Amino acid sequence: MNRNWTRLRRHQLANVSLVFLAVIATLSLCAPLIADLRGIDPTQTDLFRRFEPPSATYWLGTDDVGRDLLQRLLDGGRVSLLVGLAGALLAGLLGALIGVTAGYLGGRFDAVLMRFTDGVIALPLLPLLIVVAAVDPRKLGVPAEIAQSEAFSLYRIVVIVALTGWTTVARLVRAETLSLKARDFTRAAQALGARPGRIMLRHILPNTLTPVLVSATLNLGLAILSEATLSFLGVGMPITQPSLGTLIRIGNQYLFSGSWWLVVFPSLQLGLIVLSVNLLGDWLRDALNPKLR
């Protein structure tokens, strides 16, 4: 652990990425407090202050209905980070369970699960996301008041991102499980009469946390980008819920009308977040790989 921490301190890009993500996460979580300190209501519209450029009062300008863009970015960053974290964790959990089951049980279970995994990998990601996100929950029996709520939209995007991002984790965990299944501690547990479920959950799964953690970190950037893409295309978060994809979608309409800040600042924030997450994932992969130490 101390060696990995030393490697992190020597990795300048990873340090910068970690600091940037910490600052963005802190500011996003403290967005309501920041709005109170500035005396700004991020939800209040003011048509007389539409498209104001960045100034001392509105640091990043205002949007098409006079709302402060900085506060909208903080709220949108909180939504995007929440969706990315929850989606990456759920995808890691789902992929780990499928991978350890396929690797330990083997035989037909392994063949069926891995062929299903290969089929999901073969599908083009963006069309798959759009098709799944475009399904109307009301036609599946979800009440209209629940289907139209912002909380349900958030959970729906998290599930969609997880259902399309578990395949890499599943393959990595399966490969690790095949190796762990032949170890002495696994054979000892089998000799003592431990059930397969207990062996998988208590002995094998904890030893596969390293590839799960690395893959989940790398999938975090993809999850954030997937949510932004769906929201930009209009099948993700509702227009009333600020997310980076929604803000880019709104600002894109006014890019060539002089209000460049409406699309430049959200795009810059999204790009830096995804880049920082990927740089941290690369460092984590190298730090936890014994062959690269």
Side-chain angles (χ1 to χ4, degrees), residues 129-130 133 157 160 225-237:
L129 285 171
I130 295 175
I157 296 299
I160 291 173
L225 199 58
S226 298
E227 181 277 325
T229 302
L230 293 176
S231 297
F232 179 80
L233 295 176
V235 293
M237 300 302 297

Side-chain angles (χ1 to χ4, degrees), residues 136-139 141-156 238 240:
D136 190 355
R138 291 173 295 183
K139 295 182 179 179
V142 180
E145 60 274 9
I146 297 179
Q148 296 175 355
S149 64
E150 294 181 354
F152 181 83
S153 299
L154 182 65
Y155 299 147
R156 183 172 65 94
T240 57

Side-chain angles (χ1 to χ4, degrees), residues 239-269:
I239 197 69
T240 57
Q241 177 68 39
S243 71
L244 295 181
T246 303
L247 295 177
I248 295 174
R249 175 190 174 190
I250 296 174
N252 186 58
Q253 306 174 20
Y254 308 102
L255 177 60
F256 298 104
S257 61
S259 302
W260 52 269
W261 56 89
L262 292 181
V263 66
V264 170
F265 290 135
S267 302
L268 184 62
Q269 181 181 355

Side-chain angles (χ1 to χ4, degrees), residues 213-231:
L213 180 61
V214 174
S215 182
T217 304
L218 294 174
N219 284 339
L220 176 58
L222 180 60
I224 295 174
L225 199 58
S226 298
E227 181 277 325
T229 302
L230 293 176
S231 297

Side-chain angles (χ1 to χ4, degrees), residues 20 23-32 34-35 38 40 42-43 54 58-63 67-82 227 241-251 260-273:
F20 174 77
V23 170
I24 288 294
T26 303
L27 292 177
S28 298
L29 291 175
C30 298
I34 295 175
R38 297 180 60 202
I40 293 176
T43 62
Y58 300 101
W59 298 346
L60 298 182
T62 61
D63 62 5
R67 293 171 296 190
D68 183 70
L69 183 60
L70 174 60
Q71 296 298 141
R72 299 277 291 172
L73 285 179
L74 295 180
D75 292 337
R78 183 171 63 253
V79 172
S80 297
L81 288 174
L82 178 60
E227 181 277 325
Q241 177 68 39
S243 71
L244 295 181
T246 303
L247 295 177
I248 295 174
R249 175 190 174 190
I250 296 174
W260 52 269
W261 56 89
L262 292 181
V263 66
V264 170
F265 290 135
S267 302
L268 184 62
Q269 181 181 355
L270 176 63
L272 290 177
I273 289 176

Side-chain angles (χ1 to χ4, degrees), residues 84-100 158-159 161-174 205 208-209 211-220 223:
L85 285 172
L89 289 176
L90 185 57
L93 177 60
L94 180 61
L97 292 177
I98 293 177
V100 73
V158 169
V159 172
V161 170
L163 290 178
T164 56
W166 58 269
T167 54
T168 302
V169 180
R171 295 182 69 88
L172 290 175
V173 172
R174 173 185 176 270
L205 191 58
T208 63
L209 290 181
V212 171
L213 180 61
V214 174
S215 182
T217 304
L218 294 174
N219 284 339
L220 176 58

